[in-house]
Amino acid sequence: MRRHQLAFTALILALASLTAALAVSPTRAGIIPNSYVVDTTSDAVLTNCQALMANDCSLRGAITNANADAAADTITFNSGVFPLATPATITLGSAFPNLSAGLDTISATSRGVILDGTGEPSAFVCLGISSDGNTVRGLQLTDCSIGINITGAGDSNTIGPDNTVYDNT
């Protein structure tokens, strides 16, 4: 009888542990978060984002990748391309796709990243958010109609710290 009680207790503990892991893990149901490192100032849709290749991951491409899955993805910026002391500019030809998958982070903290809507009042938003639980920090957004626009289901988003929004209409 004692051996059956121990086996039953071990089974209950294993099930409880598995249930807890599935409830809080961002990898539940096979969804694994991705990290994308923007390594170019290009505004093209560059989605390869391989760590060993240069100039293959644009911000537009990283947002496109993050929107393609339901994971809590993180987008950061290469310090060699976007040094804090001399910020680099991504000149936008059009609005980025909205952050639409939810739970994604764009972090330019300790980097110099300027999103520029081409120097004149533009007819588009620099960065749009239409999902919940996103974080955007450390960006400079200039010369767009709106710097950051949260629409639709965009609840519980964190904007900041360290964003600078200026010269937008």
Side-chain angles (χ1 to χ4, degrees):
M1 178 79 168
R2 177 97 172 126
R3 191 168 63 191
H4 292 293
Q5 287 176 326
L6 289 174
F8 182 73
T9 301
L11 177 62
I12 295 299
L13 289 174
L15 287 173
S17 175
L18 179 61
T19 301
L22 289 174
V24 299
S25 172
T27 62
R28 71 174 174 251
I31 300 172
I32 300 171
N34 295 295
S35 293
Y36 303 107
V37 180
V38 177
D39 62 2
T40 180
T41 59
S42 172
D43 187 40
V45 182
L46 302 174
T47 59
N48 199 16
C49 299
Q50 300 292 319
L52 300 176
M53 297 183 67
N55 301 315
D56 69 343
C57 190
S58 65
L59 181 55
R60 187 176 298 278
I63 291 171
T64 299
N65 286 345
N67 285 341
D69 66 56
D73 300 318
T74 301
I75 299 170
T76 58
F77 297 83
N78 180 300
S79 62
V81 178
F82 299 95
L84 184 60
T86 54
T89 300
I90 300 172
T91 302
L92 308 178
S94 62
F96 284 123
N98 282 355
L99 284 176
S100 61
L103 302 174
D104 294 323
T105 297
I106 297 176
S107 179
T109 302
S110 301
R111 302 292 185 261
V113 181
I114 300 170
L115 303 182
D116 188 341
T118 66
E120 294 183 27
S122 300
F124 58 84
V125 173
C126 274
L127 183 63
I129 299 173
S130 60
S131 58
D132 300 334
N134 299 288
T135 300
V136 177
R137 59 181 174 248
L139 294 175
Q140 297 179 51
L141 303 106
T142 186
D143 293 316
C144 291
S145 61
I146 298 173
I148 298 175
N149 190 37
I150 301 172
T151 60
D155 292 328
S156 302
N157 291 290
T158 302
I159 308 303
D162 302 324
N163 292 308
T164 305
V165 181
Y166 58 98
D167 290 338
N168 296 288
T169 58

